[in-house]
């Protein structure tokens, strides 16, 4: 019978059957389809997969241009602001392996539909976040809860879309082109999200100030609902249940390990790297990671077959995926903080940077990246992409924070975006092509977990290092400048002498300035009086502004160094695969 989306098929209608007129005609048709890059993957499936991954990435990218509004609306600390992004990313990271397995066992279309519905529900919860009249902790808890629900939905969508493509394509060329379409859709989600969110966030939501971010979340609700309907109508179901079963010990241990690690990294700048909770987080992560390895070795149907790491290309590609995606989202996160939370640009103006960064990536992936992967050793495409990404970060690190314009960032973002295009396409193809075809769901889930773990580490690690650096620079400046220290003491005591009507506002400003570098930068240096004159207000504004600029330039440098180092590892350690080798449909020892 002919191949199906399950990737299982042999017999009279297969390419190796006796040569009959009917078979020859079928073979010619299949070859023509393969030449177009679609193989036997149904067009509706590819469309549904592309739309759903576009939607998931759109949702993931929503906070990128809104960090400034979140800071103004919620008066967040450094770790609270980071958790707005990572509350979505953490469930995506820890649950993707499980959803890859569930898709293998029970069918992938229902995961696309159900996951899209969950994304819509989660963002509805975010829109319903109480206004400023509610408590600070309550408001953040509702927002984080909505992000977590949406993240669970995205965890179902992202690996399922890739597994559908892997299961429905059977040649390196067809798979490379389909993956490039998938990667381009993912990139377009990153391109259009900041623009759409920036446009709608200009409008106030209700009577609350700085509430325009809610309109951006409503855009995702509509997009997710449309994705669910089209996935139900267009996607062709597929599954590979043979030898697969739920692995609860593996899922629980890897989930606890990932959450503990991310908690420790994100909380470090706020609680202190030597605090009990941060050290405890690292210890718990290490213990449960070891427990995960032991659980997978004993499982009859492991969440991840550890034998896959015997393949050097798979192992290196796994490491490169984490670091490469760390560099990708780390670059986007630093750019977001620089433009919105530090320089104070509106979401719409800041979106120009993300359109350039992700737009270049999307434009390059299908027409250029896929062809290069077909014709040349993928490690050179991957390594070259990482070098371009690193070069763009080094360039942006050299641009002073005092240049308050998006324009100086455009050229280096073009360079970095081109690098991302090659990295996304090449690393995904390398990982997927190194596993047997019947493990497509596992490989897709693992690839997605690695990618999104790198995404999650980007804001967490870079934000932690940069904010720690900025806090130390501000502290040193205050300690070395008696006049600044005296001005800060006066400011901190000013609530006691403020008029009754303004006392609450002044107390809020004092709390924000003392919450950390971002809070100190968010409060204005002067305030206007009723007669139009201005008086000094926040003495730390200028110090915090330049400290944050220096710190996030360091963030660019860290990301750039990681990208270059990973490029060297890629070129040296990844072996060349035969470009004409067929994708196997059975394990090598079958």
């Amino acid at each position: 019978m002919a191949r199906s989306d399950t990737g299982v098929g042999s017999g009279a209608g297969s390419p190796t059957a006796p040569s009959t007129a009917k078979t020859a005609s079928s073979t010619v048709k299949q070859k023509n389809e393969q030449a177009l890059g679609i193989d036997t993957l149904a067009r509706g499936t590819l469309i549904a997969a592309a739309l759903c991954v576009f939607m998931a990435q759109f949702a993931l990218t929503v906070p990128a241009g809104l960090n400034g509004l979140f800071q103004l609306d919620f008066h967040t600390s450094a770790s609270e602001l980071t958790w707005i992004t990572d509350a979505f990313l953490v469930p995506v990271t820890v649950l993707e392996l499980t959803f890859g397995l569930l898709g293998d066992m029970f069918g992938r279309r229902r995961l696309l539909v159900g996951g899209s519905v969950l994304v819509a529900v989660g963002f509805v919860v975010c829109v319903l976040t109480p206004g400023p009249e509610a408590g600070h902790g309550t408001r953040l808890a509702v927002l984080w809860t909505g992000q977590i629900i949406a993240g669970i939905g995205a965890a179902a969508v992202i690996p399922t879309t890739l597994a559908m493509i892997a299961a429905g394509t059977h040649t390196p060329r067809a798979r490379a082109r389909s993956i490039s379409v998938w990667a381009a859709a993912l990139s377009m989600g990153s391109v259009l999200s900041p623009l759409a969110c920036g446009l709608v966030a200009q409008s106030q939501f209700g009577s609350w100030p700085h509430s325009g971010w809610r309109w951006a979340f409503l855009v995702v609700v509509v997009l997710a609902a449309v994705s669910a309907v089209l996935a139900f109508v267009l996607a062709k179901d597929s599954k590979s249940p043979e030898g697969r079963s739920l692995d609860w010990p593996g899922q629980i241990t890897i989930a606890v390990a990932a959450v503990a690690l991310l908690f420790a990294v994100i909380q470090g700048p706020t609680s202190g790297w030597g605090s009990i909770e941060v050290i405890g987080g690292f210890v718990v992560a290490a213990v449960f990671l070891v427990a995960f390895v032991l659980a997978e070795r004993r499982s009859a149907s492991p969440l991840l077959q550890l034998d896959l790491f015997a393949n050097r290309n798979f192992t290196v590609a796994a490491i490169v995926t984490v670091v490469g995606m760390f560099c990708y989202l780390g670059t986007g996160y630093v750019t977001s903080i620089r433009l919105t939370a530090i320089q104070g640009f509106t979401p719409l103006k800041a979106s120009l940077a993300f359109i350039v960064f992700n737009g270049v990536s999307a434009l390059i992936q299908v027409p250029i990246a896929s062809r290069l992967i077909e014709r040349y050793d993928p490690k050179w495409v991957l390594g070259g992409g990482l070098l371009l990404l690193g070069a763009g970060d080094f360039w942006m690190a050299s641009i002073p924070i005092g240049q308050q314009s998006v324009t100086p960032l455009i050229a280096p973002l073009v360079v970095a975006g081109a690098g991302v295009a090659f990295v996304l396409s090449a690393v995904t193809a390398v990982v997927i092509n190194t596993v047997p075809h019947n493990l497509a769901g596992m490989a897709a889930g693992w690839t997605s977990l690695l990618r999104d773990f790198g995404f999650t580490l980007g804001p967490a690690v870079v934000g932690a290092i940069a904010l720690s650096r900025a806090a130390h620079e501000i502290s040193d400046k205050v300690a070395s400048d008696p006049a600044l220290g005296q001005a800060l003491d006066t400011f901190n005591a000013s609530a006691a002498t403020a008029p009754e009507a303004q006392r609450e506002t002044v107390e809020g400003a004092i709390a924000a300035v003392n919450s950390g570098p971002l809070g100190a930068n968010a409060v204005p240096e002067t305030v206007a009086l009723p007669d139009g004159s201005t008086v000094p207000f926040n003495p730390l504004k200028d110090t915090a502004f330049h400290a944050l600029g220096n710190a996030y330039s360091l963030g660019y440098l860290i990301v750039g160094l990681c990208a270059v180092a990973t490029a060297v590892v890629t070129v040296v350690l990844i072996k060349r695969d035969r470009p004409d080798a067929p994708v196997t449909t059975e394990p090598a020892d079958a």
Side-chain angles (χ1 to χ4, degrees), residues 57-290:
Q57 187 67 17
F58 188 104
L60 183 153
T61 314
V62 162
L66 302 177
N67 281 312
L69 283 180
F70 291 139
Q71 176 68 33
L72 291 171
D73 192 6
F74 293 91
H75 305 293
T76 58
S77 67
S79 62
E80 289 170 345
L81 185 62
T82 302
W83 274 115
I84 293 177
T85 297
D86 279 348
F88 183 98
L89 284 169
V90 168
V92 170
T93 302
V94 302
L95 293 175
E96 282 182 316
L97 278 177
T98 292
F99 280 118
L101 171 62
L102 292 174
D104 284 350
M105 294 178 63
F106 304 114
R108 296 170 181 128
R109 184 174 65 176
R110 67 184 64 185
L111 285 185
L112 279 191
V113 176
S116 298
V117 170
L118 270 182
V119 172
V121 170
F123 275 79
V124 167
V125 172
C126 292
V127 173
L128 296 177
T129 299
E133 69 278 0
H136 175 76
T138 300
R139 299 186 70 211
L140 282 176
V142 174
L143 181 62
W144 288 338
T145 298
Q147 284 281 77
I148 290 170
I149 294 171
I152 294 172
V157 168
I158 295 173
T160 301
T161 58
L162 188 54
M164 279 183 156
I165 290 173
T169 53
H170 307 278
T171 65
R173 183 179 185 182
R175 183 166 290 177
R177 293 196 174 185
S178 295
I179 287 176
S180 291
V181 171
W182 177 90
L186 183 145
S187 292
M188 285 305 297
S190 298
V191 173
L192 297 181
S193 179
L195 175 60
C197 293
L199 285 170
V200 299
Q202 296 181 99
S203 302
Q204 183 170 304
F205 191 97
S207 60
W208 299 317
H210 314 301
S211 61
W213 59 266
R214 297 170 194 264
W215 291 114
F217 281 72
L218 281 175
V219 171
V220 180
V221 172
V222 174
L223 183 58
V226 171
S227 298
V229 172
L230 292 183
F232 180 79
V233 173
L234 296 179
K236 184 176 180 180
D237 201 12
S238 64
K239 58 183 177 180
S240 302
E242 298 82 5
R244 304 286 274 147
S245 61
L246 293 174
D247 175 24
W248 291 115
Q251 177 58 72
I252 292 171
T253 51
I254 192 63
V256 173
V259 171
L261 176 60
L262 293 169
F263 170 82
V265 172
I266 294 171
Q267 201 63 29
T270 300
S271 300
W273 295 104
S275 64
I276 294 177
E277 58 263 44
V278 172
I279 293 176
F282 284 122
V283 171
V284 170
V287 169
F288 275 85
L289 184 59
V290 172

Side-chain angles (χ1 to χ4, degrees), residues 429-446:
V430 169
V431 175
I432 292 294
N433 286 336
T434 55
V435 303
H437 193 270
N438 65 310
L439 297 180
M442 178 185 291
W446 182 242

Side-chain angles (χ1 to χ4, degrees), residues 415-558:
V415 174
V420 168
F422 297 127
V423 171
L424 278 175
S425 295
V427 77
T428 303
V430 169
V431 175
I432 292 294
N433 286 336
T434 55
V435 303
H437 193 270
N438 65 310
L439 297 180
M442 178 185 291
W446 182 242
T447 303
S448 297
L449 182 148
L450 292 171
R451 184 185 62 250
D452 292 315
F453 186 67
F455 280 163
T456 309
L457 284 178
V461 174
V462 176
I465 294 174
L467 289 169
S468 293
R469 166 71 180 269
H472 280 103
E473 185 172 331
I474 293 172
S475 178
D476 291 344
K477 179 69 174 177
V478 171
S480 63
D481 187 339
L484 179 61
Q486 180 61 44
L488 180 60
D489 290 339
T490 302
F491 171 75
N492 287 334
S494 61
T497 58
E500 184 67 29
Q502 300 175 2
R503 185 166 300 166
E504 184 176 351
T505 300
V506 173
E507 289 175 346
I510 293 170
V513 168
N514 288 279
S515 68
L518 289 174
N521 181 68
V523 176
E525 187 173 13
T526 61
V527 293
L529 297 177
D531 62 3
S533 61
T534 60
V535 296
F537 189 54
N538 173 19
L540 281 187
K541 169 68 176 180
D542 185 68
T543 300
F545 177 80
H546 287 94
L548 285 167
N550 295 335
Y552 279 93
S553 290
L554 174 63
Y556 278 129
L557 285 175
I558 291 171

